[in-house]
Amino acid sequence: MATTNPFQKILTALEKPDGGEFGKYYSLPALNDPRIDKLPFSIKILLESAIRNCDEFQVKSKDVEKIIDWENTSPKQVEIPFKPARVLLQDFTGVPAVVDLACMRDAMNNLKGDSNKINPLVPVDLVIDHSVQVDVARSVNAVQANMELEFQRNKERFGFLKWGSNAFHNMLVVPPGSGIVHQVNLEYLGRVVFNTDGLLYPDSVVGTDSHTTMIDGLGVAGWGVGGIEAEATMLGQPMSMVLPGVVGFKLLGKLRDGVTATDLVLTVTQMLRKHGVVGKFVEFYGEGMSELSLADRATIANMSPEYGATMGFFPVDRVTLQYLKLTGRSDDKVALIESYLRANRMFVDYNEPQVERVYSSYLELNLNEVEPCISGPKRPHDRVTLKEMKVDWHACLDNRVGFKGFAVPKESQNKVVEFTFHGTPAQLRHGDVVIAAITSCTNTSNPSVMLGAALVAKKACELGLEVKPWIKTSLAPGSGVVTKYLQKSGLQQYLNQLGFHIVGYGCTTCIGNSGDIDDTVASAITENDIVAAAVLSGNRNFEGRVHPLTRANYLASPPLVVAYALAGTVDIDFETEPIGLGKDGKKIFFRDIWPSNEEVAEVVQSNVLPHMFMATYEAITKGNPMWNQLSVPDGTLYAWDPKSTYIHEPPYFKDMTMSPPGAHGVKNAYCLLNFGDSITTDHISPAGSIHKDSPAAKYLLERGVDRRDFNSYGSRRGNDEIMARGTFANIRLVNKFLKGEVGPKTIHIPTGEKLSVFDAAMRYKSEGHATIILAGAEYGSGSSRDWAAKGPMLLGVKAVIAKSFERIHRSNLVGMGIIPLCFKTGEDADTLGLTGEERYTIDLPSSVGEIKPGQDVTVVTDNGKSFVCTLRFDTEVMDCIMLCFFRIFISLVKFRLLQNSLVFSSLQVELAYFDHGGILQYVIRNLIKS
């Protein structure tokens, strides 16, 4: 087995301008290959990683050649290994990852192995940011009150993560209250260039949150992955990925006055969704780049998941260097970054002639053409210009239920509901705003839109406008820096006056942590079937995500969030209708409160200063009093508490024998759920609030947990009992079995009884019946969420038959032993005449050796129907998750494949996992054998 890097000859010293050297690096120019200069910058990062990690075993010279020849190889869907420089976690996904690591340690210990081998081998940054619930709003004491409630609810899981930071090496845990993971990553954690023991290389990162892509705006290659992939990366294993195509996106001109970065990103999102960029990188270039601040770039990069790309990449240039200095990175660090990237031809200098790069396809946008807009009411890419919003809203009321429709009868569309709010007469109509939240990593890292929102508030207050008291307004900055510049500018007081008090530092309304709305408002909505609206500066507005009672959810810039809060409704034409009446009774229009770009730029220039970033992140390293007072055990093995409702040892190895179950089909299975298109991971495994009548709520109440302490599904991902009950618990779930009724219910086919999905699944299991799921296109889209595969496995689902799958979710299904099948092109359950009431038999060969990737599989029903599907054990190369865990196994037991002359094809390994019933079972059985 080769141990010497074959590219050692291009290891080069990087000299400092004043003598000495920064360190050594693998020089791409030293390869003297003209193909490299034409590569997209994002592909150069993959190339450098392959060269630096080449050992002719995990990464081979032929992999390097594939990347250099990207122009010819990428259309062929070739696979390459990639070793990211670090891993990024947030607490919702970090807890399950640390649970899995703790379980692996237990397994090693039980097998008399060295449990300390289970340690991250690359830096792991874990930011606790998803636990802030907006319980207290519209109060100057909101931050402290919400923080205290956050610690009361999450003390156990915070303690678990603090234990993990001590028990595992190479793991940094950023305490709660510090900010949103992606903003902290952008402002503080992002290295741009690593210097590890004198070896220089580009920063790159994979994270267990799909919006890890925000760091692409800083010139750091990063994207979201499933937790299993992240765990493998932590343990030093390369990811297997298809060498992506790269869409070159040329930007020209500059934004018009009054147009924000949020308007731009919603426009870009719509363009790229139309173009089709799933599985691809998008790389931005062109003269318009100089008109975009780093924060604007980060806003665009953040929404890569919404436009479907793996990355939205902005190469490092002078704007990047200026931002690094602004955010407190040292002059020496910035000098190293610039010197390294220039030497390796990975820096863009627009003052120099540009090499014409080759892209897979091309798009172009003149920034001058971007218009103010929002997106909704149910999907991020359904963009609506402000001037068309009123017409579009009424069309949504008319349209049948769907992504752009609520099917409200004409005679009910003008309904006015009278209610009393804390003694004050109040009214609600369709489209009235009940939640207005300045939130989310997408926008809160951008000073221009944050200070722009504050300027809107200032103008509104000076004119005498107010926000109705029953609208739940909130401001959740992505870091303490935002608070500092809002206070220095003197503008926070105007946001406070309108009810936009700071509620905490973290991911709030956008992830579903919006907290309760007032009972009187909730009753008015539910008792009168009002289509209430939320307006938020977020990136996701899928049904049921923001709040159970807001069926219309619109994504907007922070200034527009304030404007819609003032208007109190989305049913308004801002060009022709007044937002409200001023203190003198005069009509106030949108144009009267909207700041110019010049006004915004002036306040940004005066109030966003480097010392604010330095002070904020110095405080982070010290922790906060509540975090510092948490007492945790010192042991390297976790002491599981069977009574815990937050952290629970999962049952993956329960009743496992040394004999694998073998390849198996599915016999006479019932259909648990029958879906249409676009079932997201939010539908499958919601992260938001736990409904009071849900199976998860019943479980918690039986264990003495008060309803006010339910917390969210996301916060309880460390407990499999709750997550199984939370699977398919989204209150906006549309299941064809329910004939138009919406909610987390299904029909138990043998009896015709309507049950919760969990109860139906448990009844099928108790009766000895397997289940399957029927679905449409894009099954599993949205956030990369392990529990969207773990949950169905625990419910007894054996297969999913869909028109198409999201990439990560398909991998996760296979990893949990669930068979993914695709209908043939042009076919689906409806065209085949399937009602879902049939029983399904999926015939697979009895030996894994007879199974081929992408082979045809026949599905037979008990009423005589038969149809052919494609088996989605996808390619002739190993699925990335399978590859990761196979290599983990190799590393842990020092199993030398080459020395033992054992050659596993990629397919053999993938099917070996299926043969064993899943990844973890395979690893454990082989650990025991070794």
Side-chain angles (χ1 to χ4, degrees):
M1 186 182 301
T3 57
T4 302
N5 190 318
F7 294 94
Q8 200 74 15
K9 61 182 181 297
I10 64 168
L11 193 61
T12 306
L14 182 64
E15 305 293 337
K16 291 183 177 180
D18 56 354
E21 64 178 53
F22 288 110
K24 289 184 168 54
Y25 70 104
Y26 285 91
S27 170
L28 302 186
L31 289 172
N32 294 317
D33 193 319
R35 294 174 297 177
I36 295 175
D37 285 338
K38 292 187 176 183
L39 290 176
F41 288 96
S42 50
I43 297 300
K44 282 188 174 183
I45 293 176
L46 302 183
L47 174 60
E48 189 282 337
S49 174
I51 289 171
R52 174 168 38 89
N53 292 294
C54 188
D55 60 1
E56 299 297 6
F57 178 56
Q58 291 184 333
V59 184
K60 300 180 179 181
S61 297
K62 66 180 182 181
D63 297 316
V64 173
E65 172 57 26
K66 288 178 188 175
I67 302 172
I68 292 176
D69 199 33
W70 169 85
E71 186 177 355
N72 296 311
T73 54
S74 64
K76 300 175 183 176
Q77 296 285 290
V78 301
E79 199 135 339
I80 60 163
F82 176 56
K83 297 189 76 170
R86 59 189 173 97
V87 173
L88 183 71
L89 308 174
Q90 39 89 337
D91 52 311
F92 274 14
T93 53
V95 168
V98 178
V99 165
D100 285 351
L101 289 175
C103 284
M104 292 180 75
R105 272 206 174 163
D106 284 348
M108 289 291 287
N109 185 65
N110 293 338
L111 297 169
K112 309 302 181 187
D114 182 1
S115 61
N116 288 320
K117 288 180 180 176
I118 308 296
N119 260 312
L121 299 179
V122 300
V124 176
D125 301 321
L126 196 162
V127 181
I128 303 176
D129 75 327
H130 273 48
S131 306
V132 184
Q133 292 275 355
V134 187
D135 294 292
V136 180
R138 302 187 77 137
S139 165
V140 292
N141 299 316
V143 174
Q144 184 62 26
N146 286 323
M147 175 72 84
E148 289 174 358
L149 287 168
E150 180 182 3
F151 266 83
Q152 287 173 20
R153 292 186 182 121
N154 297 283
K155 182 178 180 181
E156 187 177 349
R157 54 195 293 274
F158 288 173
F160 176 67
L161 291 175
K162 191 172 182 180
W163 167 83
S165 70
N166 296 327
F168 296 103
H169 304 311
N170 225 5
M171 182 180 288
L172 169 69
V173 175
V174 177
S178 302
I180 300 175
V181 55
H182 306 304
Q183 186 162 342
V184 174
N185 193 25
L186 190 74
E187 296 175 352
Y188 177 62
L189 296 173
R191 281 76 156 175
V192 186
V193 173
F194 265 89
N195 184 351
T196 302
D197 299 326
L199 181 63
L200 309 177
Y201 52 96
D203 186 6
S204 58
V205 59
V206 291
T208 52
D209 187 288
S210 52
H211 293 102
T212 299
T213 53
M214 188 171 190
I215 200 66
D216 301 338
L218 194 67
V220 174
W223 59 86
V225 296
I228 299 172
E229 291 174 277
E231 290 166 29
T233 303
M234 287 181 211
L235 294 168
Q237 305 310 307
M239 298 170 51
S240 186
M241 61 181 288
V242 172
L243 186 60
V246 182
V247 178
F249 199 123
K250 189 174 185 178
L251 298 174
L252 304 169
K254 65 182 296 185
L255 294 174
R256 290 183 289 127
D257 199 46
V259 177
T260 68
T262 315
D263 301 322
L264 172 58
V265 72
L266 295 178
T267 302
V268 167
T269 297
Q270 188 179 52
M271 288 179 66
L272 288 169
R273 289 284 296 199
K274 183 177 180 181
H275 186 74
V277 293
V278 173
K280 298 177 183 177
F281 291 174
V282 177
E283 187 166 297
F284 294 90
Y285 69 104
E287 64 189 55
M289 291 280 282
S290 61
E291 298 296 330
L292 293 181
S293 69
L294 194 292
D296 291 346
R297 298 174 184 190
T299 300
I300 296 169
N302 176 280
M303 285 191 72
S304 295
E306 282 65 46
Y307 45 80
T310 303
M311 281 205 304
F313 189 74
F314 290 81
V316 175
D317 61 9
R318 289 200 176 279
V319 172
T320 318
L321 301 181
Q322 291 166 2
Y323 181 82
L324 291 170
K325 291 180 179 179
L326 172 66
T327 51
R329 273 77 163 198
S330 69
D331 290 342
D332 288 345
K333 176 65 174 176
V334 175
L336 181 152
I337 290 169
E338 181 176 6
S339 297
Y340 169 80
L341 294 175
R342 282 186 181 276
N344 233 2
R345 296 182 189 169
M346 301 168 84
F347 185 87
V348 182
D349 191 333
Y350 290 104
N351 294 322
E352 299 175 355
Q354 297 298 299
V355 174
E356 187 174 342
R357 300 188 185 279
V358 176
Y359 294 106
S360 307
S361 60
Y362 297 82
L363 282 175
E364 184 174 297
L365 173 65
N366 190 323
L367 299 178
N368 188 55
E369 298 172 359
V370 178
E371 297 183 71
C373 57
I374 61 178
S375 280
K378 301 180 184 182
R379 296 190 300 186
H381 54 282
D382 290 332
R383 185 177 70 95
V384 187
T385 61
L386 283 194
K387 63 185 180 185
E388 297 170 335
M389 180 56 197
K390 188 177 180 73
V391 172
D392 190 82
W393 170 251
H394 284 276
C396 287
L397 291 180
D398 287 333
N399 294 343
R400 64 185 179 86
V401 174
F403 297 122
K404 293 287 289 185
F406 299 103
V408 176
K410 280 285 187 184
E411 63 272 16
S412 301
Q413 290 184 10
N414 296 317
K415 176 169 56 178
V416 179
V417 175
E418 307 278 350
F419 70 103
T420 301
F421 179 79
H422 295 255
T424 302
Q427 295 179 336
L428 270 185
R429 298 174 174 82
H430 294 299
D432 277 4
V433 176
V434 296
I435 291 176
I438 300 175
T439 179
S440 171
C441 51
T442 305
N443 287 289
T444 61
S445 62
N446 194 326
S448 65
V449 292
M450 296 300 286
L451 287 165
L455 286 171
V456 170
K458 179 177 185 290
K459 291 173 181 283
C461 289
E462 290 172 345
L463 291 168
L465 294 178
E466 297 179 346
V467 174
K468 294 181 178 68
W470 54 85
I471 297 176
K472 188 168 188 178
T473 46
S474 62
L475 166 59
S479 81
V481 176
V482 179
T483 302
K484 286 181 169 61
Y485 62 65
L486 284 174
Q487 290 176 340
K488 183 179 185 303
S489 67
L491 295 173
Q492 180 65 54
Q493 61 176 312
Y494 301 106
L495 288 166
N496 289 352
Q497 193 172 326
L498 296 183
F500 287 94
H501 297 83
I502 295 175
V503 296
Y505 301 91
C507 196
T508 55
T509 305
C510 188
I511 192 66
N513 291 352
S514 49
D516 292 334
I517 56 177
D518 190 87
D519 287 343
T520 60
V521 179
S523 296
I525 294 171
T526 55
E527 292 170 9
N528 298 280
D529 200 25
I530 291 292
V531 182
V535 183
L536 64 152
S537 62
N539 47 50
R540 294 270 167 85
N541 56 343
F542 301 129
E543 288 182 280
R545 180 183 178 104
V546 173
H547 191 280
L549 299 182
T550 58
R551 287 192 286 176
N553 301 282
Y554 286 93
L555 306 181
S557 67
L560 279 177
V561 171
V562 177
Y564 274 107
L566 290 162
T569 181
V570 297
D571 185 8
I572 184 171
D573 182 342
F574 277 144
E575 289 192 6
T576 62
E577 296 179 88
I579 281 181
L581 299 178
K583 51 192 171 187
D584 56 359
K586 181 182 176 182
K587 292 180 180 179
I588 307 299
F589 288 84
F590 178 81
R591 57 183 172 270
D592 299 322
I593 62 171
W594 200 256
S596 68
N597 288 7
E598 187 177 340
E599 287 178 273
V600 174
E602 184 179 336
V603 75
V604 169
Q605 184 70 28
S606 303
N607 296 285
V608 183
L609 304 170
H611 73 82
M612 297 177 175
F613 293 89
M614 289 185 277
T616 297
Y617 290 107
E618 283 174 7
I620 278 181
T621 60
K622 297 174 184 175
N624 61 63
M626 284 183 277
W627 173 263
N628 292 336
Q629 289 167 14
L630 280 177
S631 178
V632 297
D634 295 329
T636 58
L637 297 176
Y638 189 69
W640 305 97
D641 179 0
K643 297 179 181 178
S644 172
T645 57
Y646 276 106
I647 308 297
H648 185 262
E649 188 171 13
Y652 305 136
F653 311 125
K654 185 180 179 182
D655 299 327
M656 191 181 92
T657 67
M658 283 301 297
S659 299
H664 56 280
V666 179
K667 187 174 179 62
N668 286 328
Y670 283 100
C671 181
L672 179 64
L673 293 151
N674 188 358
F675 292 132
D677 295 341
S678 297
I679 292 297
T680 70
T681 52
D682 276 303
H683 290 114
I684 303 169
S685 183
S689 59
I690 297 173
H691 194 273
K692 61 183 177 65
D693 298 322
S694 66
K698 180 182 177 183
Y699 176 88
L700 289 169
L701 290 169
E702 288 173 349
R703 282 151 184 80
V705 179
D706 191 272
R707 183 188 166 195
R708 64 183 178 183
D709 295 322
F710 279 2
N711 215 329
S712 64
Y713 284 113
S715 69
R716 293 188 180 273
R717 283 184 186 159
N719 188 306
D720 57 278
E721 294 281 2
I722 291 172
M723 296 310 296
R725 288 163 173 79
T727 302
F728 299 111
N730 189 306
I731 64 166
R732 297 297 173 198
L733 195 70
V734 178
N735 175 10
K736 293 179 183 179
F737 284 152
L738 300 185
K739 312 295 184 186
E741 181 183 343
V742 176
K745 302 280 187 180
T746 196
I747 301 299
H748 180 250
I749 301 299
T751 63
E753 189 176 353
K754 183 167 69 175
L755 300 169
S756 72
V757 177
F758 175 78
D759 288 342
M762 293 304 101
R763 184 174 295 185
Y764 282 127
K765 287 185 77 172
S766 69
E767 294 166 346
H769 299 311
T771 55
I772 64 147
I773 290 170
L774 294 176
E778 299 179 331
Y779 183 77
S781 58
S783 302
S784 53
R785 196 165 288 173
D786 284 2
W787 271 109
K790 291 177 178 176
M793 181 273 291
L794 293 175
L795 294 187
V797 173
K798 302 301 182 185
V800 178
I801 309 175
K803 289 177 70 175
S804 63
F805 292 92
E806 190 276 335
R807 173 183 63 89
I808 296 175
H809 184 64
R810 187 209 66 84
S811 296
N812 285 339
L813 288 175
V814 176
M816 298 315 297
I818 296 174
I819 303 169
L821 296 168
C822 272
F823 292 108
K824 290 296 183 180
T825 302
E827 295 183 349
D828 58 22
D830 292 337
T831 63
L832 293 169
L834 303 174
T835 65
E837 296 178 2
E838 307 87 353
R839 298 185 73 173
Y840 295 80
T841 295
I842 301 168
D843 189 22
L844 290 183
S846 58
S847 168
V848 293
E850 299 175 30
I851 298 177
K852 306 296 180 186
Q855 75 178 57
D856 286 348
V857 170
T858 300
V859 181
V860 179
T861 66
D862 63 338
N863 62 357
K865 289 184 183 291
S866 176
F867 56 97
V868 177
C869 291
T870 301
L871 180 63
R872 288 294 306 274
F873 295 142
D874 264 5
T875 64
E876 293 188 6
V877 287
M878 192 184 310
D879 179 271
C880 56
I881 291 180
M882 306 304 179
L883 177 64
C884 290
F885 267 85
F886 183 58
R887 284 173 173 159
I888 288 174
F889 166 63
I890 295 168
S891 297
L892 293 179
V893 301
K894 301 187 182 301
F895 186 58
R896 299 186 180 278
L897 287 176
L898 299 183
Q899 289 182 354
N900 290 327
S901 300
L902 293 175
V903 180
F904 286 88
S905 74
S906 301
L907 177 61
Q908 283 175 324
V909 176
E910 177 165 284
L911 293 177
Y913 286 118
F914 178 61
D915 188 45
H916 281 255
I919 293 170
L920 299 177
Q921 290 84 349
Y922 175 84
V923 172
I924 292 301
R925 286 190 180 101
N926 282 281
L927 283 170
I928 294 171
K929 288 178 182 178
S930 301

